[in-house]
Amino acid sequence: MYGYQFAAYQEAVKVGSVFDQLLELFKELLVHTSGDAAEALSWLTELDRQYRISTSGYGMGDFIEDLKKNGYLQENNETGLFQITSKTEASIRRQSLEHIFGKMKKGRRGGHKSTFSGQGDEINPERRPYQFGDTLEQIAMSDSLRNAQIRQGMEHFYLEESDLEVQENDFKTQSSVVLMIDISHSMILYGEDRITPAKQVAMALAEYMRLTYPKDTLDILVFGNDAWQIAVKDLPYLQVGPYHTNTVAGLELAINLLQRRKNPNKHIFMITDGKPTCLKEGNRYYKNSFGLDSKILNKCYTLAAHCRKLRIPVTTFMIAQDSYLQEFVQEFTEINQGKAFYSDLQGLGSYIFEDYSRNKRRRVR
């Protein structure tokens, strides 16, 4: 016996949850369609036709109207074209963060702890005598008043500099990070979509830094035949082009961006699946897609050494398993004294998360 079925009430309860479920799918599809809302809705409609993910009382037309009503989608009245909003872009970044790093709570203000004392958020139990240059906020008033009382009693009470004690805070350092993403044609070759996981990782890292380490800086650049900087909000729309892999241009731009930053702690993350195949010499592109070209490699190695001299470690995430590519990465990493991870697409996010959070000086091969 199955008891009573309250079908009318069940249908009413499902409507809200169906929208949430469809919204999650819609955002996931937007990453794969590079932000093309019309294509994502077309795919979602086909999924609904095959798997009946909506209900009889709540169809895809209702979902589209709710997207517009809730500020996720806007429609051009003249052309009829759909476009996602900034609210959707932010929601995609949060979804990427949850998918890769799990549910995370917002920290207070964020900062990387170090073994040094200095200006920071957390009070250290240690005390020391006042020194010229210490701020008023650092003075431990209760301890200072006690020292004055012990020295002279309460009848002629006054403070001297020798009475002052200062409480130490745990110093928190800041970091500047550049994330390099390979958008050469090989990122979608051989029947494997490598650019979508790279975008998801970039969005997750950006959202994680915003929530947990808001004082850190993140610059994102892409490299193909050339290299150029993109904004976080542009990540959902990122596409692979008919490009070669100009790793040199990417590294040069990354160095340039980090040299503008005042933070002493700087780091480059590079996501790539292929060998360097391109250089720009004046207005001419030097290209060679057959094997590893020594002229291109030597320029990469020179930049690896330059980064090491500037104390900028490079962490390379090679999402390919070819042995000759791994040899290049090993040599590059050895020169830079950075790190190298040979990751599949599923493990890419975890590797980047752990490396950024731990910030240890170790090399993984």
Side-chain angles (χ1 to χ4, degrees), residues 236-254:
Y237 311 102
L238 190 61
Q239 299 184 56
V240 167
Y243 307 126
H244 286 72
T245 307
N246 193 343
T247 307
V248 170
L251 289 169
E252 288 176 339
L253 179 56

Side-chain angles (χ1 to χ4, degrees), residues 187-342:
M187 292 288 278
I188 56 171
L189 281 180
Y190 315 117
E192 188 170 32
D193 177 11
R194 295 165 176 171
I195 189 62
T196 298
K199 288 193 294 185
Q200 290 175 323
V201 167
M203 289 188 288
L205 181 61
E207 192 69 5
Y208 175 67
M209 290 178 65
R210 184 185 70 84
L211 293 173
T212 311
Y213 301 106
K215 296 180 182 179
D216 287 3
T217 65
L218 174 65
D219 293 295
I220 302 173
L221 66 88
V222 295
F223 61 102
N225 289 348
D226 299 284
W228 61 94
Q229 189 176 4
I230 65 171
V232 173
K233 66 180 182 63
D234 298 327
L235 281 169
Y237 311 102
L238 190 61
Q239 299 184 56
V240 167
Y243 307 126
H244 286 72
T245 307
N246 193 343
T247 307
V248 170
L251 289 169
E252 288 176 339
L253 179 56
I255 293 170
N256 185 33
L257 291 171
L258 288 175
Q259 286 184 318
R260 300 177 192 174
R261 300 294 185 182
K262 297 180 180 180
N263 294 337
N265 302 295
K266 300 173 182 180
H267 206 127
I268 295 175
F269 290 135
M270 178 168 63
I271 303 175
T272 182
D273 76 326
K275 57 186 177 293
T277 60
C278 179
L279 280 177
K280 192 171 184 180
E281 300 177 324
N283 295 324
R284 170 180 172 268
Y285 290 99
Y286 175 85
K287 303 175 183 178
N288 185 358
S289 301
F290 303 98
L292 292 172
D293 188 296
S294 59
K295 182 176 180 178
I296 299 175
L297 293 187
N298 289 336
K299 185 64 175 177
C300 290
Y301 295 150
T302 300
L303 287 173
H306 184 52
C307 285
R308 180 180 177 182
K309 184 178 180 180
L310 295 174
R311 297 184 178 180
I312 302 175
V314 180
T315 300
T316 304
F317 297 89
M318 177 61 75
I319 46 179
Q321 303 299 323
D322 307 74
S323 59
Y324 73 99
L325 292 179
Q326 293 186 2
E327 290 175 5
F328 156 68
V329 173
Q330 287 177 358
E331 182 69 20
F332 181 91
T333 303
E334 187 70 29
I335 294 172
N336 176 255
Q337 289 295 292
K339 307 171 192 175
F341 294 94
Y342 306 103

Side-chain angles (χ1 to χ4, degrees), residues 105-270:
K105 294 183 179 179
K106 183 176 180 179
R108 289 182 301 166
R109 294 186 65 188
H112 302 279
K113 292 184 179 180
S114 72
T115 57
F116 304 99
S117 61
Q119 295 183 1
D121 299 330
E122 296 186 8
I123 298 176
N124 190 305
E126 299 295 328
R127 299 287 188 271
R128 62 170 175 81
Y130 172 83
Q131 298 175 354
F132 179 76
D134 291 331
T135 64
L136 290 175
E137 290 80 6
Q138 291 178 269
I139 296 175
M141 293 306 301
S142 298
D143 296 327
S144 301
L145 293 172
R146 185 188 67 241
N147 293 338
Q149 181 183 5
I150 292 173
R151 179 177 54 80
Q152 63 186 0
M154 294 298 295
E155 294 183 2
H156 304 286
F157 182 82
Y158 64 94
L159 276 170
E160 292 183 352
E161 183 177 332
S162 60
D163 299 324
L164 298 178
E165 286 192 14
V166 170
Q167 62 186 13
E168 293 279 23
N169 291 340
D170 287 332
F171 177 72
K172 289 188 177 180
T173 186
Q174 298 176 1
S175 295
S176 292
V177 175
V178 170
L179 179 62
M180 298 172 51
I181 303 176
D182 184 352
I183 59 167
S184 62
H185 188 56
S186 61
M187 292 288 278
I188 56 171
L189 281 180
Y190 315 117
E192 188 170 32
D193 177 11
R194 295 165 176 171
I195 189 62
T196 298
K199 288 193 294 185
Q200 290 175 323
V201 167
M203 289 188 288
L205 181 61
E207 192 69 5
Y208 175 67
M209 290 178 65
R210 184 185 70 84
L211 293 173
T212 311
Y213 301 106
K215 296 180 182 179
D216 287 3
T217 65
L218 174 65
D219 293 295
I220 302 173
L221 66 88
V222 295
F223 61 102
N225 289 348
D226 299 284
W228 61 94
Q229 189 176 4
I230 65 171
V232 173
K233 66 180 182 63
D234 298 327
L235 281 169
Y237 311 102
L238 190 61
Q239 299 184 56
V240 167
Y243 307 126
H244 286 72
T245 307
N246 193 343
T247 307
V248 170
L251 289 169
E252 288 176 339
L253 179 56
I255 293 170
N256 185 33
L257 291 171
L258 288 175
Q259 286 184 318
R260 300 177 192 174
R261 300 294 185 182
K262 297 180 180 180
N263 294 337
N265 302 295
K266 300 173 182 180
H267 206 127
I268 295 175
F269 290 135
M270 178 168 63

